[in-house]
Coordinates of all heavy atoms in Angstrom, one line a residue:
M14 N -185.6 64.9 140.3 CA -184.4 64.1 140.1 C -183.9 63.5 141.4 O -183.8 64.2 142.4 CB -183.3 65.1 139.6 CG -182.1 64.3 139.1 SD -180.8 65.4 138.4 CE -181.6 65.8 136.9
S15 N -183.7 62.2 141.4 CA -183.3 61.6 142.7 C -181.9 62.0 143.1 O -181.0 62.2 142.3 CB -183.4 60.1 142.5 OG -182.5 59.6 141.6
R16 N -181.7 62.0 144.4 CA -180.4 62.4 144.9 C -179.5 61.1 145.2 O -179.2 60.8 146.3 CB -180.6 63.2 146.2 CG -181.2 64.5 145.9 CD -181.3 65.4 147.1 NE -181.7 66.7 146.7 CZ -182.9 67.2 147.1 NH1 -183.8 66.5 147.8 NH2 -183.3 68.4 146.7
I17 N -179.2 60.4 144.1 CA -178.4 59.2 144.2 C -177.3 59.3 143.2 O -177.4 59.7 142.1 CB -179.3 58.0 143.9 CG1 -180.4 57.8 145.0 CG2 -178.5 56.7 143.9 CD1 -181.4 56.7 144.7
C18 N -176.1 58.9 143.7 CA -174.9 58.9 142.8 C -175.1 57.8 141.8 O -175.5 56.6 142.1 CB -173.7 58.6 143.7 SG -172.2 58.4 142.7
E19 N -174.8 58.1 140.5 CA -175.0 57.2 139.4 C -174.0 56.1 139.4 O -174.2 55.0 138.8 CB -175.1 57.9 138.1 CG -176.3 58.7 137.9 CD -176.4 59.3 136.5 OE1 -175.8 60.3 136.2 OE2 -177.1 58.7 135.7
L20 N -172.8 56.3 140.0 CA -171.7 55.3 139.9 C -171.6 54.5 141.2 O -171.2 53.3 141.1 CB -170.4 56.0 139.6 CG -170.4 56.7 138.3 CD1 -169.0 57.3 138.1 CD2 -170.7 55.7 137.1
T21 N -171.9 55.0 142.4 CA -171.7 54.3 143.6 C -173.0 53.9 144.3 O -173.0 53.0 145.2 CB -170.9 55.1 144.6 OG1 -171.6 56.3 144.9 CG2 -169.5 55.5 144.1
G22 N -174.1 54.5 143.9 CA -175.4 54.1 144.5 C -175.6 54.8 145.8 O -176.6 54.6 146.5
K23 N -174.7 55.7 146.2 CA -174.8 56.4 147.5 C -176.0 57.4 147.4 O -176.1 58.2 146.5 CB -173.5 57.2 147.7 CG -173.4 57.9 149.0 CD -172.0 58.6 149.1 CE -171.9 59.3 150.4 NZ -171.1 58.5 151.4
G24 N -176.8 57.3 148.4 CA -178.0 58.1 148.5 C -178.1 58.8 149.8 O -177.2 59.0 150.5
R25 N -179.3 59.3 150.1 CA -179.5 60.1 151.3 C -179.6 59.2 152.5 O -179.9 58.0 152.5 CB -180.8 60.9 151.2 CG -182.1 60.0 151.2 CD -183.3 60.8 150.9 NE -184.5 60.0 151.3 CZ -185.4 60.5 152.1 NH1 -185.5 61.7 152.5 NH2 -186.4 59.7 152.4
Q26 N -179.2 59.8 153.7 CA -179.3 59.1 154.9 C -180.2 60.0 155.9 O -180.2 61.2 155.7 CB -177.9 59.0 155.6 CG -177.0 58.0 154.8 CD -175.7 57.9 155.5 OE1 -175.1 58.8 156.0 NE2 -175.2 56.6 155.6
V27 N -180.8 59.3 156.8 CA -181.7 59.9 157.7 C -181.1 59.9 159.1 O -180.5 59.0 159.5 CB -183.1 59.2 157.8 CG1 -184.0 59.9 158.7 CG2 -183.7 59.2 156.4
G28 N -181.3 61.1 159.8 CA -180.7 61.2 161.2 C -181.6 62.2 162.0 O -182.7 62.5 161.6
H29 N -180.9 62.7 163.0 CA -181.6 63.7 163.9 C -180.8 65.0 164.0 O -179.6 65.0 164.0 CB -181.7 63.1 165.3 CG -182.7 62.0 165.4 ND1 -182.3 60.7 165.5 CD2 -184.1 62.0 165.5 CE1 -183.4 60.0 165.7 NE2 -184.5 60.7 165.6
N30 N -181.5 66.1 164.1 CA -181.0 67.3 164.6 C -181.1 67.2 166.1 O -182.2 66.9 166.6 CB -181.7 68.6 164.1 CG -181.3 69.0 162.7 OD1 -180.2 68.8 162.3 ND2 -182.3 69.6 162.0
V31 N -180.1 67.5 166.8 CA -180.1 67.4 168.3 C -179.9 68.8 168.9 O -178.8 69.3 168.7 CB -179.1 66.4 168.8 CG1 -179.2 66.3 170.4 CG2 -179.4 65.0 168.2
S32 N -180.9 69.3 169.6 CA -180.7 70.6 170.2 C -179.9 70.5 171.5 O -179.6 69.5 172.0 CB -182.1 71.2 170.5 OG -182.7 70.5 171.5
H33 N -179.6 71.7 172.1 CA -178.9 71.8 173.3 C -179.7 71.1 174.4 O -179.2 70.5 175.4 CB -178.7 73.2 173.7 CG -177.8 73.4 174.9 ND1 -176.5 73.0 174.9 CD2 -178.1 73.9 176.1 CE1 -176.0 73.3 176.2 NE2 -177.0 73.8 176.9
A34 N -181.1 71.1 174.3 CA -182.0 70.5 175.3 C -182.2 69.0 175.0 O -183.0 68.4 175.6 CB -183.3 71.2 175.4
N35 N -181.4 68.5 174.0 CA -181.5 67.1 173.6 C -182.8 66.7 172.9 O -183.2 65.6 173.0 CB -181.2 66.1 174.8 CG -180.6 64.8 174.3 OD1 -180.0 64.8 173.2 ND2 -180.8 63.8 175.0
N36 N -183.5 67.7 172.3 CA -184.7 67.4 171.5 C -184.2 66.9 170.2 O -183.3 67.5 169.6 CB -185.5 68.7 171.3 CG -186.0 69.2 172.6 OD1 -186.3 68.5 173.6 ND2 -186.2 70.5 172.7
K37 N -184.8 65.9 169.7 CA -184.4 65.3 168.4 C -185.5 65.5 167.4 O -186.7 65.1 167.6 CB -184.1 63.8 168.6 CG -182.9 63.5 169.5 CD -182.8 62.1 169.7 CE -181.6 61.8 170.7 NZ -181.9 62.3 172.1
T38 N -185.1 66.0 166.2 CA -186.1 66.2 165.1 C -185.4 65.6 163.9 O -184.2 65.6 163.7 CB -186.4 67.7 164.8 OG1 -185.1 68.4 164.6 CG2 -187.1 68.3 165.9
K39 N -186.2 64.9 163.0 CA -185.7 64.2 161.9 C -185.1 65.2 160.9 O -185.5 66.3 160.7 CB -186.8 63.5 161.1 CG -187.4 62.3 161.9 CD -186.4 61.1 161.7 CE -187.1 59.8 162.1 NZ -186.3 58.7 161.8
R40 N -184.0 64.7 160.2 CA -183.4 65.5 159.2 C -182.8 64.5 158.2 O -182.7 63.3 158.4 CB -182.3 66.4 159.7 CG -181.1 65.7 160.3 CD -179.8 66.5 160.3 NE -179.4 66.7 158.9 CZ -178.3 67.4 158.6 NH1 -177.6 68.0 159.6 NH2 -178.0 67.6 157.4
V41 N -182.4 65.1 157.0 CA -181.8 64.2 155.9 C -180.4 64.7 155.6 O -180.2 65.9 155.5 CB -182.7 64.3 154.7 CG1 -182.2 63.6 153.5 CG2 -184.1 63.8 155.0
F42 N -179.5 63.8 155.5 CA -178.2 64.1 155.1 C -178.1 63.7 153.6 O -178.3 62.5 153.2 CB -177.1 63.2 155.8 CG -177.1 63.5 157.3 CD1 -177.8 62.8 158.2 CD2 -176.2 64.5 157.7 CE1 -177.8 63.1 159.5 CE2 -176.2 64.9 159.1 CZ -176.9 64.1 160.0
L43 N -177.8 64.7 152.7 CA -177.7 64.4 151.3 C -176.3 64.3 150.8 O -175.4 64.9 151.3 CB -178.4 65.6 150.5 CG -179.8 65.8 150.8 CD1 -180.3 67.1 150.1 CD2 -180.6 64.7 150.4
P44 N -176.0 63.4 149.8 CA -174.7 63.3 149.3 C -174.3 64.5 148.5 O -175.2 65.2 147.9 CB -174.7 62.0 148.4 CG -176.2 61.9 148.1 CD -176.9 62.5 149.2
N45 N -173.0 64.8 148.4 CA -172.5 66.0 147.7 C -172.4 65.6 146.2 O -171.4 65.1 145.7 CB -171.2 66.4 148.2 CG -170.6 67.6 147.6 OD1 -171.3 68.3 146.8 ND2 -169.4 68.0 147.9
L46 N -173.5 65.8 145.4 CA -173.6 65.4 144.0 C -173.1 66.5 143.1 O -173.5 67.6 143.3 CB -175.0 64.9 143.7 CG -175.5 63.7 144.4 CD1 -177.0 63.4 143.9 CD2 -174.7 62.5 144.1
Q47 N -172.3 66.1 142.1 CA -171.8 67.0 141.1 C -172.1 66.5 139.7 O -172.1 65.3 139.5 CB -170.3 67.2 141.3 CG -169.9 67.6 142.7 CD -170.4 69.0 143.0 OE1 -170.4 69.9 142.2 NE2 -170.7 69.2 144.3
N48 N -172.4 67.4 138.8 CA -172.6 67.0 137.4 C -171.2 67.0 136.8 O -170.5 68.1 136.7 CB -173.5 67.9 136.7 CG -174.9 67.9 137.2 OD1 -175.4 66.8 137.4 ND2 -175.5 69.0 137.4
V49 N -170.7 65.8 136.3 CA -169.4 65.8 135.8 C -169.4 65.1 134.4 O -170.3 64.3 134.1 CB -168.4 65.0 136.7 CG1 -168.2 65.7 138.0 CG2 -168.9 63.6 137.0
T50 N -168.4 65.3 133.6 CA -168.2 64.7 132.3 C -167.0 63.8 132.5 O -165.9 64.3 132.7 CB -168.0 65.7 131.2 OG1 -169.2 66.5 131.2 CG2 -167.9 65.0 129.9
L51 N -167.2 62.5 132.3 CA -166.1 61.5 132.4 C -165.7 61.0 131.1 O -166.6 60.6 130.3 CB -166.4 60.4 133.4 CG -166.7 60.9 134.9 CD1 -167.2 59.7 135.7 CD2 -165.4 61.4 135.5
L52 N -164.4 60.8 130.8 CA -164.0 60.3 129.5 C -163.8 58.8 129.6 O -163.1 58.3 130.5 CB -162.7 61.0 129.1 CG -162.1 60.7 127.8 CD1 -163.0 61.1 126.7 CD2 -160.7 61.3 127.6
S53 N -164.3 58.1 128.6 CA -164.1 56.7 128.5 C -163.0 56.5 127.4 O -163.2 56.8 126.3 CB -165.4 56.0 128.0 OG -165.1 54.6 127.7
E54 N -161.9 55.8 127.8 CA -160.8 55.6 126.9 C -161.1 54.5 125.9 O -160.7 54.5 124.8 CB -159.5 55.3 127.7 CG -159.1 56.5 128.5 CD -157.9 56.1 129.5 OE1 -157.5 54.9 129.5 OE2 -157.5 57.0 130.2
G55 N -161.9 53.5 126.4 CA -162.2 52.3 125.5 C -163.2 52.7 124.4 O -163.1 52.1 123.4
L56 N -164.1 53.6 124.7 CA -165.1 54.0 123.7 C -164.7 55.3 123.0 O -165.5 55.7 122.1 CB -166.5 54.2 124.4 CG -167.0 52.9 125.1 CD1 -168.3 53.2 125.8 CD2 -167.2 51.8 124.0
D57 N -163.7 56.0 123.5 CA -163.2 57.3 122.9 C -164.3 58.3 122.8 O -164.5 59.0 121.8 CB -162.7 57.1 121.5 CG -161.3 56.5 121.5 OD1 -160.6 56.7 122.5 OD2 -160.9 55.8 120.5
R58 N -165.1 58.4 123.9 CA -166.1 59.5 124.0 C -166.3 59.8 125.5 O -165.9 59.1 126.4 CB -167.4 59.1 123.3 CG -168.1 57.9 123.8 CD -169.4 57.8 123.2 NE -170.4 58.8 123.6 CZ -171.6 58.6 123.9 NH1 -172.2 57.4 123.6 NH2 -172.4 59.5 124.3
S59 N -167.0 60.9 125.7 CA -167.3 61.3 127.1 C -168.8 61.1 127.5 O -169.6 61.1 126.6 CB -166.9 62.8 127.3 OG -167.7 63.6 126.4
F60 N -169.0 61.0 128.8 CA -170.3 60.7 129.3 C -170.6 61.6 130.5 O -169.7 61.9 131.3 CB -170.5 59.3 129.8 CG -170.3 58.3 128.7 CD1 -169.1 57.7 128.4 CD2 -171.4 57.9 127.9 CE1 -168.9 56.7 127.4 CE2 -171.3 57.0 126.9 CZ -170.0 56.4 126.6
K61 N -171.8 62.1 130.6 CA -172.2 63.0 131.7 C -172.9 62.2 132.8 O -173.8 61.4 132.4 CB -173.1 64.1 131.2 CG -172.4 65.2 130.4 CD -173.3 66.3 130.2 CE -172.6 67.4 129.4 NZ -173.4 68.6 129.2
F62 N -172.4 62.3 134.0 CA -173.0 61.6 135.1 C -173.2 62.5 136.3 O -172.6 63.6 136.4 CB -172.1 60.5 135.6 CG -172.0 59.3 134.7 CD1 -170.8 59.1 134.0 CD2 -173.0 58.4 134.5 CE1 -170.7 58.0 133.1 CE2 -172.9 57.4 133.6 CZ -171.7 57.1 133.0
R63 N -174.1 62.2 137.2 CA -174.4 62.9 138.4 C -173.7 62.0 139.5 O -174.3 61.0 139.9 CB -175.8 63.1 138.7 CG -176.1 64.1 139.7 CD -177.5 64.6 139.6 NE -177.7 65.8 140.5 CZ -178.7 65.8 141.3 NH1 -179.6 64.9 141.4 NH2 -178.8 66.9 142.1
V64 N -172.5 62.5 140.0 CA -171.7 61.6 140.8 C -171.4 62.4 142.1 O -171.2 63.6 142.1 CB -170.4 61.3 140.1 CG1 -169.5 60.4 140.9 CG2 -170.6 60.8 138.7
S65 N -171.3 61.6 143.2 CA -170.9 62.2 144.5 C -169.4 62.4 144.4 O -168.7 61.8 143.7 CB -171.2 61.2 145.6 OG -170.5 60.0 145.5
T66 N -168.9 63.3 145.3 CA -167.5 63.6 145.3 C -166.7 62.4 145.7 O -165.6 62.2 145.3 CB -167.2 64.8 146.2 OG1 -167.8 64.6 147.5 CG2 -167.8 66.1 145.6
H67 N -167.3 61.6 146.6 CA -166.6 60.4 147.1 C -166.5 59.4 145.9 O -165.5 58.8 145.7 CB -167.5 59.7 148.2 CG -167.0 58.4 148.7 ND1 -166.5 57.4 147.8 CD2 -166.9 57.9 149.9 CE1 -166.2 56.4 148.5 NE2 -166.4 56.6 149.8
G68 N -167.6 59.3 145.1 CA -167.5 58.5 143.9 C -166.5 58.9 142.9 O -165.9 58.1 142.2
L69 N -166.4 60.2 142.7 CA -165.4 60.8 141.8 C -164.0 60.4 142.2 O -163.2 60.1 141.3 CB -165.6 62.3 141.7 CG -164.9 63.0 140.5 CD1 -165.3 62.4 139.2 CD2 -165.2 64.5 140.6
R70 N -163.7 60.5 143.5 CA -162.4 60.1 144.0 C -162.2 58.6 143.8 O -161.0 58.2 143.4 CB -162.3 60.4 145.5 CG -162.2 61.9 145.8 CD -162.1 62.1 147.2 NE -161.0 61.3 147.8 CZ -160.3 61.6 148.8 NH1 -160.5 62.8 149.4 NH2 -159.4 60.8 149.3
S71 N -163.2 57.8 143.9 CA -163.1 56.4 143.7 C -162.8 56.1 142.3 O -161.9 55.2 142.0 CB -164.3 55.7 144.2 OG -164.6 55.9 145.5
V72 N -163.4 56.8 141.4 CA -163.2 56.5 139.9 C -161.7 56.9 139.6 O -161.0 56.1 138.9 CB -164.1 57.4 139.1 CG1 -163.7 57.4 137.6 CG2 -165.6 56.8 139.2
E73 N -161.2 58.0 140.1 CA -159.9 58.4 139.8 C -158.9 57.4 140.4 O -157.8 57.1 139.9 CB -159.6 59.8 140.4 CG -160.4 60.9 139.6 CD -160.0 61.0 138.1 OE1 -158.8 60.9 137.8 OE2 -160.9 61.1 137.3
H74 N -159.2 56.9 141.6 CA -158.3 56.0 142.3 C -158.2 54.7 141.6 O -157.1 54.0 141.6 CB -158.8 55.7 143.7 CG -158.0 54.7 144.5 ND1 -156.8 55.1 145.1 CD2 -158.2 53.4 144.8 CE1 -156.3 54.0 145.7 NE2 -157.2 53.0 145.6
N75 N -159.3 54.3 140.9 CA -159.3 53.0 140.2 C -158.7 53.1 138.7 O -158.8 52.2 138.0 CB -160.7 52.4 140.1 CG -161.0 51.7 141.4 OD1 -160.4 50.7 141.8 ND2 -161.9 52.3 142.2
G76 N -158.3 54.3 138.3 CA -157.7 54.4 137.0 C -158.6 54.9 135.9 O -158.4 54.6 134.8
G77 N -159.7 55.5 136.3 CA -160.6 56.0 135.2 C -162.0 55.3 135.2 O -162.2 54.4 135.9
L78 N -162.8 55.9 134.3 CA -164.2 55.4 134.2 C -164.3 53.9 133.8 O -165.1 53.2 134.3 CB -165.0 56.3 133.3 CG -166.5 55.9 133.0 CD1 -167.3 56.1 134.3 CD2 -167.1 56.8 132.0
D79 N -163.5 53.6 132.8 CA -163.6 52.2 132.3 C -163.3 51.1 133.4 O -164.0 50.2 133.5 CB -162.6 52.0 131.1 CG -162.9 52.9 129.9 OD1 -164.0 53.5 130.0 OD2 -162.1 53.0 129.0
N80 N -162.2 51.3 134.1 CA -161.8 50.4 135.1 C -162.8 50.4 136.2 O -163.2 49.3 136.8 CB -160.4 50.7 135.7 CG -159.3 50.5 134.8 OD1 -159.4 49.7 133.9 ND2 -158.2 51.2 135.0
W81 N -163.4 51.5 136.6 CA -164.4 51.6 137.6 C -165.6 50.8 137.3 O -166.2 50.0 138.0 CB -164.8 53.0 137.9 CG -165.9 53.2 138.9 CD1 -167.2 53.4 138.5 CD2 -165.9 53.0 140.3 NE1 -168.0 53.4 139.6 CE2 -167.2 53.1 140.7 CE3 -164.9 52.7 141.2 CZ2 -167.6 53.0 142.1 CZ3 -165.3 52.6 142.5 CH2 -166.6 52.8 142.9
L82 N -166.1 51.0 136.0 CA -167.3 50.3 135.6 C -167.1 48.8 135.5 O -168.0 48.0 135.9 CB -167.8 50.8 134.2 CG -168.3 52.2 134.2 CD1 -168.6 52.7 132.8 CD2 -169.6 52.3 135.0
L83 N -166.0 48.3 135.1 CA -165.7 46.9 135.0 C -165.6 46.3 136.4 O -165.9 45.1 136.5 CB -164.5 46.7 134.1 CG -164.6 47.1 132.7 CD1 -163.3 46.9 131.9 CD2 -165.7 46.3 132.0
K84 N -165.1 47.0 137.4 CA -164.9 46.4 138.7 C -166.2 46.5 139.6 O -166.3 45.7 140.5 CB -163.8 47.2 139.4 CG -162.4 46.9 138.9 CD -161.4 47.6 139.7 CE -160.0 47.4 139.2 NZ -159.0 48.1 139.9
T85 N -167.1 47.4 139.3 CA -168.3 47.7 140.1 C -169.4 46.7 139.8 O -169.6 46.4 138.6 CB -168.7 49.1 140.0 OG1 -167.6 50.0 140.2 CG2 -169.8 49.5 141.0
S86 N -170.1 46.3 140.8 CA -171.3 45.4 140.6 C -172.4 46.1 139.9 O -172.6 47.4 140.1 CB -171.7 44.8 141.9 OG -172.3 45.7 142.7
D87 N -173.2 45.4 139.2 CA -174.3 46.0 138.4 C -175.4 46.6 139.4 O -176.1 47.5 139.0 CB -175.0 45.0 137.5 CG -174.0 44.6 136.4 OD1 -173.0 45.3 136.2 OD2 -174.4 43.7 135.6
A88 N -175.5 46.1 140.6 CA -176.5 46.5 141.5 C -176.3 48.0 141.9 O -177.3 48.7 142.2 CB -176.5 45.6 142.8
K89 N -175.1 48.4 142.0 CA -174.8 49.8 142.4 C -174.9 50.8 141.3 O -175.1 52.0 141.6 CB -173.3 49.9 142.9 CG -173.1 49.2 144.3 CD -171.7 49.4 144.7 CE -171.5 48.8 146.1 NZ -170.1 49.0 146.6
L90 N -174.9 50.4 140.1 CA -174.8 51.3 138.9 C -176.2 51.7 138.5 O -177.2 50.9 138.6 CB -174.1 50.7 137.8 CG -172.6 50.4 138.0 CD1 -172.1 49.6 136.8 CD2 -171.8 51.6 138.3
S91 N -176.4 52.9 137.9 CA -177.6 53.4 137.4 C -177.8 52.8 136.0 O -176.9 52.2 135.4 CB -177.6 54.9 137.3 OG -176.7 55.3 136.2
P92 N -179.0 52.9 135.5 CA -179.3 52.3 134.1 C -178.4 52.9 133.1 O -177.9 52.2 132.1 CB -180.8 52.6 133.9 CG -181.4 52.7 135.2 CD -180.3 53.3 136.1
R93 N -178.1 54.2 133.2 CA -177.2 54.9 132.2 C -175.8 54.3 132.3 O -175.1 54.1 131.3 CB -177.2 56.4 132.4 CG -178.5 57.1 132.0 CD -178.5 58.6 132.2 NE -177.3 59.2 131.6 CZ -176.7 60.2 132.2 NH1 -177.0 60.6 133.4 NH2 -175.6 60.7 131.6
A94 N -175.3 54.1 133.5 CA -174.0 53.6 133.7 C -173.9 52.1 133.2 O -172.9 51.7 132.7 CB -173.6 53.7 135.2
L95 N -175.0 51.4 133.5 CA -175.0 50.0 133.0 C -174.9 49.9 131.5 O -174.3 49.0 130.9 CB -176.3 49.3 133.5 CG -176.3 48.9 134.9 CD1 -177.7 48.4 135.3 CD2 -175.3 47.8 135.2
R96 N -175.6 50.9 130.8 CA -175.5 50.9 129.3 C -174.1 51.2 128.9 O -173.6 50.5 127.9 CB -176.5 52.0 128.8 CG -176.7 52.0 127.3 CD -177.7 53.0 126.8 NE -179.0 52.9 127.6 CZ -179.5 53.9 128.3 NH1 -178.9 55.1 128.3 NH2 -180.6 53.8 128.9
V97 N -173.4 52.1 129.5 CA -172.0 52.4 129.2 C -171.1 51.2 129.4 O -170.3 50.8 128.6 CB -171.5 53.6 130.0 CG1 -170.0 53.8 129.7 CG2 -172.3 54.8 129.6
K98 N -171.4 50.5 130.5 CA -170.6 49.3 130.9 C -170.8 48.2 129.8 O -169.9 47.5 129.4 CB -171.0 48.8 132.3 CG -170.3 47.6 132.7 CD -170.7 47.2 134.1 CE -169.9 46.0 134.6 NZ -170.2 45.6 136.0
R99 N -172.1 48.0 129.4 CA -172.4 47.0 128.4 C -171.7 47.4 127.0 O -171.1 46.5 126.4 CB -173.9 46.9 128.1 CG -174.3 45.8 127.2 CD -175.8 45.8 127.1 NE -176.4 47.0 126.5 CZ -177.3 47.8 127.1 NH1 -177.8 47.4 128.3 NH2 -177.7 48.8 126.5
D100 N -171.7 48.7 126.6 CA -171.0 49.1 125.4 C -169.5 48.9 125.5 O -168.8 48.5 124.6 CB -171.3 50.5 125.1 CG -172.8 50.8 124.8 OD1 -173.5 49.8 124.5 OD2 -173.2 51.9 124.8
L101 N -169.0 49.1 126.7 CA -167.5 48.9 127.0 C -167.1 47.5 126.8 O -166.1 47.2 126.2 CB -167.2 49.4 128.4 CG -165.8 49.7 128.7 CD1 -165.2 50.7 127.8 CD2 -165.7 50.2 130.1
K102 N -168.0 46.6 127.3 CA -167.7 45.1 127.2 C -167.8 44.7 125.7 O -167.0 43.9 125.3 CB -168.7 44.3 128.0 CG -168.3 44.4 129.5 CD -169.3 43.5 130.3 CE -168.9 43.5 131.8 NZ -169.9 42.6 132.5
K103 N -168.7 45.2 125.0 CA -168.9 44.9 123.5 C -167.6 45.4 122.8 O -167.1 44.7 121.9 CB -170.1 45.6 123.0 CG -171.4 44.9 123.3 CD -172.6 45.6 122.6 CE -173.9 45.0 123.1 NZ -175.0 45.8 122.5
A104 N -167.2 46.6 123.1 CA -166.0 47.2 122.4 C -164.7 46.3 122.7 O -163.9 46.1 121.8 CB -165.8 48.6 122.8
A105 N -164.6 45.9 124.0 CA -163.5 45.1 124.3 C -163.5 43.7 123.7 O -162.5 43.2 123.3 CB -163.4 44.9 125.9
A106 N -164.7 43.1 123.5 CA -164.8 41.8 122.8 C -164.5 41.9 121.3 O -164.0 41.0 120.7 CB -166.2 41.3 123.1
A107 N -164.9 43.1 120.7 CA -164.7 43.3 119.3 C -163.2 43.5 119.0 O -162.8 43.2 117.9 CB -165.6 44.4 118.8
A108 N -162.5 44.1 120.0 CA -161.1 44.5 119.7 C -160.2 43.3 119.9 O -160.4 42.2 120.2 CB -160.7 45.6 120.7

């Protein structure tokens, strides 16, 4: 399973461990991913996503999953999130 946030696209970063003697060895910084269930008010159902804690705060700041998906560009979203976004747009057009 890839270590990428499904809503923000945040992934791993590469850097160095630096010793006291200033020796540098490669290391990987991983995002803090959590399995969460987010409720969609427009579709009246819940969805499970693997989201970074930063992404979860961003979703809450924007007023929930529906607002976040509509504001975020498609390039950052995972295929599952894009499917939810598409369904959300269909439901809004039908209403």
Side-chain angles (χ1 to χ4, degrees):
M14 187 179 288
S15 63
R16 294 186 172 109
I17 297 175
C18 176
E19 291 189 276
L20 297 181
T21 61
K23 185 180 181 99
R25 67 187 196 133
Q26 291 183 320
V27 179
H29 289 104
N30 279 332
V31 181
S32 69
H33 186 68
N35 207 27
N36 297 328
K37 295 175 183 70
T38 56
K39 288 281 194 174
R40 66 156 295 178
V41 176
F42 294 94
L43 298 175
N45 184 6
L46 296 178
Q47 304 294 324
N48 293 317
V49 295
T50 302
L51 297 172
L52 182 66
S53 171
E54 295 171 358
L56 298 175
D57 285 332
R58 60 173 290 218
S59 59
F60 297 94
K61 289 187 177 184
F62 290 109
R63 194 157 189 236
V64 184
S65 64
T66 53
H67 177 317
L69 192 57
R70 287 180 51 147
S71 298
V72 168
E73 292 299 319
H74 178 76
N75 282 294
L78 179 64
D79 296 349
N80 290 338
W81 171 261
L82 289 174
L83 294 175
K84 288 181 181 180
T85 306
S86 67
D87 292 351
K89 290 185 178 181
L90 298 174
S91 70
R93 288 178 53 220
L95 284 172
R96 191 174 310 121
V97 175
K98 183 176 181 177
R99 187 178 63 237
D100 293 345
L101 196 59
K102 285 183 178 179
K103 284 181 186 176

